[in-house]
Amino acid sequence: MKKRGKKKKGTARRDTRIATSGLDPHGNFGIINPPVYHASTVLFPTVKDLKKAVSDPFNNTYYGRFGTPTSAAFEEAVAEIEGGERAIATSSGLAAITCALTAFLESGDHLLMADTVYEPTRKFCDGILKGFGVETEYYDPLIGGGIADLMRDNTHAVFMESPGSLTFEVQDVPAIAAAARERGVVSILDNTWGTPLFFRPFEHGVDIAIEAATKYISGHADAMLGAIIMKDVHFKRLKTATVALGNSAGPDDCYLGLRGLRTLSVRLARHQETGLTLARWLNKQPEVARMLHPALPDDPGHRLWKRDFIGTSGLFGVELNPVAEGKVEAMLDGFDLFGMGFSWGGFESLALPVEPNRSRSATTWKGKGPLLRIHAGLEDPDDLLADLEAGLKKLG
Ligand SMILES: Cc1ncc(COP(=O)(O)O)c(C=O)c1O
């Protein structure tokens, strides 16, 4: 089978890998993209074939829920681009998180979780995991190597998300991952903001990377998809848990994720540029108290961001100076281009009012004014600036 880019494997640069990974056109009538297999039952021609599949269901086409050639193509590509060895596609980003945590934790275990984690991850820990006898301890995301002091004999996982949800604190991922590794504790990173392109989890010592592929990887606000990425050594355990939980990604969403990956690099470059343009402009406005954007030099996380990240996504925060709630509502309601809605990473710009203290317990968000989460989409940056300018005027 002549696979594109095979000769270059190992030496190919990032964008070449993005254009060639997970493809096998000459195994598919020369058609470049893989077919979308809708499958539950898989038939085996002989008992011998059936037995072979049963003996290794994770690596054979066995039953739809275990995966199809479509999910396998997405997994192969995302594993290669993220820098891992294997990947498991899941039905959403949150499913990737819950399957990964479930794989490594059992009753009596202690989990260290960043206080700035995505709120539904926290809800899973405080609800389901707690009910199953797993204790979650939230830590200050800026703890760095000091995480070692929080580790106990029954600590089995450390979870990071960098930068943190809503408030964008950059974690010292290498220091935390190293402390975990020293004690044989598995480290898991939600790398959705960093994407496989702007943060390289395995080069920073992380064991398991999570991507909410719903965001930038799919990139068009039309798919729900997650990925757990790992080295071979963790594959069996993670796949066993994912299968046991009955989680599998839909074939159409795997296809959209794979298609999105091909343009991730060019889209991200634009999200990055527009995001920086908007953030720098906002930073100078009298209505703005401060920006939460690790790529801006005066952001507290800038030093670590510069050390560890290769780029910045288009998602950031802006704290406004204290102002009557009604005025912020008028601004948000009046935006022409900035939509209000959850998720991010699509082509559309978003502005969302957020309240970090709703989901903090080890730290407190001390901002005094309203906080907005902005996603810079792919519209013309000048039109976005004009929309922001008109919106800020409404704050009086
Ligand atoms: C950082 C982060 N991780 C995970 C998720 C969950 O992804 P999904 O919506 O695909 O479940 C989100 C969604 O907003 C997120 O922002």
Side-chain angles (χ1 to χ4, degrees), residues 29-63:
F29 308 103
I31 297 166
I32 292 183
N33 289 296
V36 181
Y37 284 100
H38 286 267
S40 55
T41 304
V42 175
L43 296 178
F44 304 100
T46 65
V47 172
K48 198 171 155 213
D49 291 313
L50 172 76
K51 284 186 174 164
K52 181 172 168 273
V54 170
S55 72
D56 189 8
F58 296 168
N59 293 304
N60 285 291
T61 309
Y62 169 78
Y63 176 55

Side-chain angles (χ1 to χ4, degrees), residues 142-186:
L142 304 180
I143 197 166
I147 193 96
D149 298 336
L150 300 183
M151 286 186 193
R152 308 179 192 162
D153 290 346
N154 63 339
T155 306
H156 277 106
V158 176
F159 194 101
M160 297 165 273
E161 183 185 317
S162 182
S165 269
L166 311 184
T167 43
F168 301 92
E169 292 85 349
V170 181
Q171 296 199 253
D172 192 340
V173 172
I176 296 173
R181 183 154 298 185
E182 208 168 282
R183 285 157 191 78
V185 171
V186 74

Side-chain angles (χ1 to χ4, degrees), residues 141 144-145 160 162-163 169-178 189 191 193-206 294-295 301-312:
M160 297 165 273
S162 182
E169 292 85 349
V170 181
Q171 296 199 253
D172 192 340
V173 172
I176 296 173
L189 170 74
N191 193 35
W193 188 95
T195 81
L197 306 190
F198 288 165
F199 187 83
R200 310 288 300 153
F202 300 99
E203 290 166 23
H204 293 292
V206 170
H302 186 68
R303 187 186 60 83
L304 286 180
W305 173 81
K306 209 168 167 185
R307 187 192 69 183
D308 296 342
F309 283 76
I310 299 155
T312 172

Side-chain angles (χ1 to χ4, degrees), residues 92-95 97 118 121 161 165 190 192-193 212-215 224-226 343-344 373:
S92 68
L94 183 61
I97 293 164
Y118 174 59
T121 305
E161 183 185 317
S165 269
D190 183 335
T192 304
W193 188 95
T214 306
K215 320 291 176 207
M224 294 300 305
L225 185 65
S343 204
W344 45 278
R373 187 181 74 178

Side-chain angles (χ1 to χ4, degrees), residues 350-370:
L350 301 164
L352 192 71
V354 295
E355 293 173 41
N357 282 332
R358 240 184 45 177
S359 53
R360 299 283 186 272
S361 53
T363 57
T364 309
W365 167 246
K366 296 204 179 70
K368 294 199 171 46

